[in-house]
Amino acid sequence: MLTSTSGGGNLQIILILVVFFLIMYFIMIRPEKKKQKKIEAMRNALTVGDEIVTIGGIMGVVVNVTEDNITIETGEDKVRVKFKKWAVSSNVRAEAAEAKANAKK
């Protein structure tokens, strides 16, 4: 009769899984949350006169900002289009200023 105790083996497997999930959290999930917070801060900081790009690729200058919506002016015809704030992909003016500040360092 041979009996084996696998209590120590189970503990090692659980420990390896916990370490694996911690590594995945710090490599994938945490940076993504930081990126989301940065994008949300950018969207909340939009002001009249900012040049933006939407997630659909439409470029324009912000002419009106409300709590959830923005209105931009595009093209030579000065067409005004209203968007939800979550549709803003980037703020060209802020990115240019940030790049200029980083270049000075």
Side-chain angles (χ1 to χ4, degrees), residues 44-83:
N44 289 331
L46 288 174
T47 58
V48 174
D50 285 344
E51 186 177 344
I52 61 144
V53 178
T54 67
I55 57 176
I58 299 172
M59 297 180 69
V61 177
V62 177
V63 293
N64 186 20
V65 179
T66 62
E67 188 173 325
D68 293 332
N69 301 315
I70 61 165
T71 304
I72 66 170
E73 212 170 67
T74 63
E76 294 176 9
D77 296 336
K78 306 268 185 193
V79 175
R80 290 186 177 202
V81 184
K82 192 173 194 177
F83 290 97

Side-chain angles (χ1 to χ4, degrees), residues 12-26:
Q12 286 178 344
I13 291 172
I14 291 172
L15 185 61
I16 289 171
L17 286 172
V18 169
V19 169
F20 175 74
F21 284 116
L22 284 174
I23 290 170
M24 292 302 289
Y25 174 78
F26 283 108

